[in-house]
């Protein structure tokens, strides 16, 4: 008989002892008991985390979502209860009654909130048995993500996962309480709406009643929250479910949650001030961490100039420096003819080995770079394959521009503007990690403002909205719509936490004519604009107040506050990077009858893939 068969046989044998709660009523959770409760009779319920049979005494770690309590089965308390406890196995569900007693001298567990006490069992019930779990339900599990997601309900029993979901709840409640106290209304918006041409791909839902027509699941409640402002709701919020059919990363999911906010009769300052109060409350109530307000602000142009990205992590220095003017006439082919040349000085970075520099070079290549130029600054020389191509005048100019000192290392990147910024901007983060420049348990909040209104999309060969097509341009740039789209700034702002965008918003176009000009600048003719957004344009003509808002990614914010590696660790039932659910096997096939009701038919290509 295999070990698995033996385990199943034991589990089936123990099923005969399973009872319901009867007269048991839980009095405490498994993290509440302490020395002030000595001598009290308590009733606990939970799962068997561990079991140690020392002969006369059987020790069990009882776990619920709040923590652990050590319980003790002793024949001196109840001989029958002690004898029956021999059947207990990992993850059996039990209820116990017992007396709180101090742990023996010298044996407290300082790592547990209940580490100074234990509960001697006087009576207990087996509520359910369990097969041997497919992985150890502890924080330091070696289970793969695939196995964890397949048995997600077991993974959620691990203390770290229970803690993450609790913090997510605390964040949500802090948000709700703050916004309620600030006069906001929680209003739901539709999940079945119509597809719009801008942004990521929509998830489409076929309509059975209107054959050949489709709903779209919302990528955000953007249009509806603007309509709520036109409807006089004044201050709206929603913990909104959103859907985007896009490629996934560690911080992306096909369905996600955002804290969606809109306000009437406001400007940027009003929204940013409200947001800072909200974030301050969230940090205080979830982490007991005091953030300093107001948050610093950085223009988009300055962020790109000094950090190469529009969401810089300012917990450390390592600024980038534009040295194009210094090196544009260099004899080196690395710099010759480059659109942009930037340098990053790494204090005391000359200690890097050639192997480590090669590793950073390979990383830069993943962002489109052909390589990575470097110079080690020594007391009496510069060490680098490039050194012989740097003239004395260029050397002096670099020393002054970068404030170079002996022991420094310089990384250079040259080429197209977007590539240079992307490569060095991301390399900056990895350099900081390598040299341990990022303080532990630190948080840096930052506003990035004055974004471009448009960006050029080389694939479609046209300008698209950087944020969305309802963002208002700064008033001074309004006349440039349709004339100089690359020169227009948006009334938009992003909130950045530790180098990750956690929220973004803007002041909206509240005038119909301004919105029509925005659509025209994006390539919509008047007929297409009316077809797609006629309801919004008409609403803007019926007394729309000035309004704006912001939205936060709740999953991403929780990930950062819990210092998790992925948003999948703060979502109860996430999807994989292929947008599948390994537990329920979604997405799945549907019957021919269902397809027929929806007037749908699978293509031959789909059938070939299935076969």
């Amino acid at each position: 008989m295999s070990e698995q068969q033996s385990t199943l046989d034991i589990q089936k044998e123990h099923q005969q002892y399973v009872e319901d709660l009867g007269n048991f009523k839980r009095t405490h959770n498994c993290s509440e008991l302490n020395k002030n409760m000595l001598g009290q009779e308590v009733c606990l319920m939970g799962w068997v985390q561990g079991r140690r049979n020392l002969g006369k005494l059987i020790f069990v770690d009882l776990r619920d979502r709040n923590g652990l309590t050590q319980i003790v089965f002793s024949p001196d308390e109840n001989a029958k209860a002690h004898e029956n406890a021999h059947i207990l196995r990992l993850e059996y569900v039990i209820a116990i009654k017992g007396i709180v007693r101090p742990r023996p001298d010298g044996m407290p567990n300082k790592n547990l909130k209940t580490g100074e006490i234990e509960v001697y069992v006087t009576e207990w019930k087996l509520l359910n048995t369990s097969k041997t779990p497919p992985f150890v339900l502890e924080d330091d599990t070696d289970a793969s993500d695939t196995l964890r997601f397949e048995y997600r309900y077991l993974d959620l029993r691990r203390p770290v996962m229970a803690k993450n979901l609790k913090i997510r709840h605390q964040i949500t409640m802090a948000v709700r309480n703050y916004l309620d106290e600030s006069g906001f209304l929680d209003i739901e918006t539709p999940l079945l709406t119509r597809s719009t041409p801008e942004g990521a791909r929509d998830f489409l839902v076929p309509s059975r009643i209107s054959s050949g027509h489709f709903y779209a699941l919302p990528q955000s409640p953007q249009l509806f929250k603007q309509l709520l402002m036109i409807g006089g709701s004044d201050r709206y919020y929603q913990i909104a479910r959103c859907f985007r059919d896009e490629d996934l990363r560690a911080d992306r999911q096909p369905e996600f949650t955002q804290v969606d906010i809109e306000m009437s009769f406001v400007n940027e300052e009003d929204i940013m001030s409200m947001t800072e109060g909200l974030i301050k409350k969230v940090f205080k109530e979830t982490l007991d961490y005091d953030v300093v307000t107001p948050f610093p602000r950085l223009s988009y142009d300055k962020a790109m100039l000094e950090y190469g990205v529009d969401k810089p992590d300012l917990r450390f220095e390592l600024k980038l420096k534009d040295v194009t003017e210094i090196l544009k006439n260099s004899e080196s082919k690395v710099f010759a003819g480059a659109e942009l040349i930037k340098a990053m000085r790494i204090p005391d970075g000359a200690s890097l080995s050639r192997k480590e520099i090669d590793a950073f070079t390979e990383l830069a290549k993943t962002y489109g770079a052909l390589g990575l130029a470097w110079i080690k600054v020594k007391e009496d020389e510069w060490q680098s394959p490039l050194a012989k191509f740097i003239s004395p005048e260029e050397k002096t100019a670099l020393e002054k521009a970068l404030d170079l000192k002996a022991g420094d290392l310089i990384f250079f990147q040259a080429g197209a503007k977007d590539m240079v910024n992307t490569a060095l901007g991301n390399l900056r983060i990895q350099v900081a990690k390598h040299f341990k420049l990022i303080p532990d348990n630190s948080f840096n909040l930052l506003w990035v403002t004055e974004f471009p209104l448009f960006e050029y999309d080389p694939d479609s060969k046209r300008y698209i909205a950087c944020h969305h097509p309802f963002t208002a341009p700064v008033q001074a740039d309004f006349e440039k719509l349709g004339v100089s789209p690359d020169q227009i700034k948006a009334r938009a702002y992003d909130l950045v936490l530790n180098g990750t965008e956690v929220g973004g918003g803007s002041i909206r176009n509240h005038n119909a004519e301004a919105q029509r000009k925005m659509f025209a600048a994006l390539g919509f003719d008047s007929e297409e604009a009316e077809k797609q957004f006629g309801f919004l344009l008409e609403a803007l003509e019926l007394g729309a107040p000035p309004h704006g808002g912001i939205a936060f990614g709740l999953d991403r914010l929780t990930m950062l506050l819990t210092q998790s590696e992925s948003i999948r660790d703060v979502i109860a039932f996430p999807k994989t990077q292929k947008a599948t659910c390994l537990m329920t096997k979604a997405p799945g096939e549907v019957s021919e009858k269902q397809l027929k009701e929806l007037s749908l038919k699978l293509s031959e290509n789909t059938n070939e893939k299935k076969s």
Side-chain angles (χ1 to χ4, degrees), residues 304-401:
M304 297 302 295
L305 175 67
E306 296 185 346
Y307 303 101
V309 295
D310 60 4
K311 44 184 181 296
D313 189 340
L314 301 192
R315 289 176 295 172
F316 57 94
E317 285 291 331
L318 294 184
K319 290 184 179 180
L320 311 184
K321 188 75 175 181
D322 186 341
V323 293
T324 309
E325 287 302 312
I326 297 174
L327 296 174
K328 65 181 181 180
N329 296 318
S330 171
E331 295 180 8
S332 171
K333 293 181 180 180
V334 172
F335 303 131
E339 177 186 4
L340 178 66
I341 308 171
K342 278 192 172 182
M344 177 171 61
R345 169 190 168 239
I346 305 168
D348 302 318
S351 59
L352 281 183
S353 67
R354 184 58 186 267
K355 181 179 180 181
E356 289 170 324
I357 292 176
D358 288 345
F360 282 122
T361 301
E362 292 304 312
L363 178 63
K365 289 180 180 179
T366 65
Y367 295 101
L370 296 177
L372 182 66
W374 57 272
I375 293 175
K376 288 186 177 183
V377 180
K378 300 291 187 177
E379 286 285 355
D380 53 355
E381 66 172 337
W382 282 14
Q383 292 182 357
S384 168
L386 286 172
K388 61 184 178 182
F389 298 107
I390 304 295
S391 70
E393 293 76 16
E394 290 167 343
K395 181 177 179 180
T396 300
L398 286 173
E399 287 175 336
K400 183 178 179 180

Side-chain angles (χ1 to χ4, degrees), residues 479-499:
E479 297 303 322
K480 297 177 184 177
L481 277 174
V483 179
S484 305
D486 57 327
Q487 299 178 18
I488 305 176
K489 295 295 185 182
R491 297 182 68 181
Y493 34 82
D494 279 1
L495 183 62
V496 177
L497 172 58
N498 293 355

